[in-house]
Amino acid sequence: MLMWVVFLVVNFFEERSKNMGAGQNVFNDGKAVLNMSITVTVSAQKPPAPHGYISISRKKLLQNLEINTGARVNAWVDSMRASSPTHIKSTPSLSDDQGSWNLHHPSALEMFEQIIEASKGKQIAMFLDYDGTLSPIVEDPDRAFMSKKMRKTVRKLAKCFPTAIVSGRCRDKVYKFVKLAELYYAGSHGMDIKGPEKRSKSTKDNESVLFQPASEFLPMIDEVYKQLVETTKSTPGAKVENNKFCLSVHFRCVDEKKWSELAQQVRSVLKEYPKLRLTQGRKVLEIRPTIKWDKGKALEFLLESLGFANCTDVFPVYIGDDRTDEDAFKILRDRGQGFGILVSKFPKETSASYSLQEPDEVMDFLRRLVEWKQLSVQARAQSRM
């Protein structure tokens, strides 16, 4: 019955779009259809979207109907449950066949020699998520510290290859965790990007902010943050984090029986802000501006900033553990350059080519890259003597 209602709603939107003529029509159907409070963009002929905003296709509209209507809050909670690291079978068909998944996403450590062979003659560029990749997932997100060994490894990595941290966290917070000035940092899912700190005689620190595409949303983000803090304070364990250009509602410390209540609370706030969208990560709900920007776009921007915009001799490697990292994995797969590595102990749907199980394996992989690079440099130096 629900799918029939969804079918009727989609057709309603399509017919309305056609009757209003060619081009895009943006409208808010707050009460008329399934008591929705979302702003959607519908295109009959799929013309280009207005600058900066996302055009929602039929498929996306179905997804929004499932996420944003009150009738589908249970499905939303099911998705929250599936993304939880404590629930192994997030994708039952894959979890039932671990061997098949490993065949398609082999260990990057076991395939290290093949990876090096594929990168031969190209410039490797490293892109790293933070939580769950360089640091373990912890109950208190403010204590997601990376180990001294990991920091030392990342510092050596940055001396060998251009290296960037791409995180959903606030850029300043990620920097405080990592404390390495020689890296690129892309915080807030790539909506706040800066290059390595440069030192000069005139200034001790010259912080180069490269890109902030969502600056106009800052007042709105702050406003919603205050409302979410107030609204969710009745749910024990819920934590709202202000990541400057986006917000995170952490539910890793919330009793699973309270997830539905938390989902309703978040929805009650966001229904008044159609220019913000909700996505989901690893035990976290993410609120972001509806601009067409994500970790994949940030990856492309960083490659361009590094001078590799249209180069065929670059070999990008992106390592991440979250759903939001899939945007970057897909970019690399579409470009046919480099590859993505998913950090996960369990099978998941992914566009990554390889896998690693935990941050310790990530550190081992990075160490091997550094050792390989150092040996290569030594070999070239000896050959010139």
Side-chain angles (χ1 to χ4, degrees), residues 14-50:
E14 290 181 339
E15 289 299 317
R16 182 168 180 176
S17 178
K18 291 176 182 177
N19 292 336
M20 293 181 73
Q24 283 194 330
N25 305 289
V26 180
F27 54 90
N28 192 312
D29 208 3
K31 297 182 180 179
V33 184
L34 293 180
N35 195 30
M36 291 186 299
S37 294
I38 57 174
T39 298
V40 296
T41 307
V42 179
S43 170
Q45 302 298 325
K46 292 187 178 179

Side-chain angles (χ1 to χ4, degrees), residues 203-270:
T203 58
K204 292 184 178 180
D205 294 309
N206 181 16
E207 186 175 293
S208 176
V209 176
L210 299 179
F211 197 52
Q212 292 180 335
S215 296
E216 64 182 285
F217 288 89
L218 286 176
M220 184 184 296
I221 293 291
D222 289 339
E223 183 178 311
V224 173
Y225 170 71
K226 293 174 184 177
Q227 291 190 35
L228 284 173
V229 169
E230 182 65 26
T231 303
T232 62
K233 68 181 182 181
S234 61
T235 303
K239 181 179 178 64
V240 185
E241 183 178 13
N242 190 336
N243 290 312
K244 190 171 182 177
F245 293 96
C246 61
L247 302 171
S248 298
V249 181
H250 298 277
F251 58 91
R252 64 187 67 173
C253 295
V254 177
D255 189 305
E256 193 168 330
K257 295 178 182 178
K258 293 284 188 178
W259 287 2
S260 178
E261 175 184 312
L262 181 63
Q264 290 279 20
Q265 290 170 343
V266 174
R267 178 177 174 270
S268 69
V269 173
L270 291 186

Side-chain angles (χ1 to χ4, degrees), residues 163-175:
T163 303
I165 307 292
V166 186
S167 173
R169 297 267 202 157
C170 169
R171 173 172 59 82
D172 291 338
K173 185 171 290 186
V174 176
Y175 183 82

Side-chain angles (χ1 to χ4, degrees), residues 121-133:
K122 299 179 180 180
Q123 171 64 62
I124 294 176
M126 298 300 300
F127 302 89
L128 309 168
D129 180 33
Y130 184 76
D131 293 274
T133 300

Side-chain angles (χ1 to χ4, degrees), residues 112 116 119 122-127 153-164 182-184 306 308 315 317 365-374 376:
F112 186 80
I116 292 302
S119 70
K122 299 179 180 180
Q123 171 64 62
I124 294 176
M126 298 300 300
F127 302 89
T153 301
V154 174
R155 178 181 283 115
K156 290 181 178 179
L157 183 77
K159 291 180 179 179
C160 297
F161 314 103
T163 303
E182 55 266 49
L183 306 182
Y184 284 80
L306 290 166
F308 300 126
F315 196 83
V317 178
F365 179 80
L366 299 182
R367 279 178 175 173
R368 291 188 66 178
L369 273 177
V370 170
E371 290 170 0
W372 167 80
K373 181 65 174 181
Q374 290 174 341
S376 299

Side-chain angles (χ1 to χ4, degrees), residues 65-242:
L65 285 170
E66 288 187 348
I67 292 175
N68 290 291
T69 62
R72 294 300 292 166
V73 168
N74 288 336
W76 188 6
V77 174
D78 288 342
S79 182
M80 291 165 68
R81 185 176 296 113
S83 72
S84 167
T86 60
H87 291 270
I88 297 177
K89 292 192 175 184
S90 59
T91 311
S93 61
L94 291 177
S95 299
D96 291 340
D97 194 355
Q98 177 92 39
S100 176
W101 190 85
N102 289 338
L103 183 65
H104 291 92
H105 308 91
S107 167
L109 286 171
E110 294 176 4
M111 301 295 290
F112 186 80
E113 297 302 327
Q114 290 88 332
I115 290 171
I116 292 302
E117 182 64 27
S119 70
K120 188 172 292 185
K122 299 179 180 180
Q123 171 64 62
I124 294 176
M126 298 300 300
F127 302 89
L128 309 168
D129 180 33
Y130 184 76
D131 293 274
T133 300
L134 298 180
S135 72
I137 295 294
V138 294
E139 288 189 356
D140 184 357
D142 289 333
R143 300 190 63 80
F145 304 117
M146 66 192 304
S147 67
K148 291 182 180 179
K149 290 182 179 179
M150 179 66 87
R151 180 175 292 105
K152 184 177 180 180
T153 301
V154 174
R155 178 181 283 115
K156 290 181 178 179
L157 183 77
K159 291 180 179 179
C160 297
F161 314 103
T163 303
I165 307 292
V166 186
S167 173
R169 297 267 202 157
C170 169
R171 173 172 59 82
D172 291 338
K173 185 171 290 186
V174 176
Y175 183 82
K176 288 179 181 178
F177 281 142
V178 179
K179 298 177 182 178
L180 295 175
E182 55 266 49
L183 306 182
Y184 284 80
Y185 289 87
S188 302
H189 298 284
M191 287 183 282
D192 189 9
I193 302 176
K194 88 169 188 71
E197 292 182 2
K198 300 176 182 178
R199 298 184 180 276
S200 64
K201 294 181 180 180
S202 58
T203 58
K204 292 184 178 180
D205 294 309
N206 181 16
E207 186 175 293
S208 176
V209 176
L210 299 179
F211 197 52
Q212 292 180 335
S215 296
E216 64 182 285
F217 288 89
L218 286 176
M220 184 184 296
I221 293 291
D222 289 339
E223 183 178 311
V224 173
Y225 170 71
K226 293 174 184 177
Q227 291 190 35
L228 284 173
V229 169
E230 182 65 26
T231 303
T232 62
K233 68 181 182 181
S234 61
T235 303
K239 181 179 178 64
V240 185
E241 183 178 13
N242 190 336

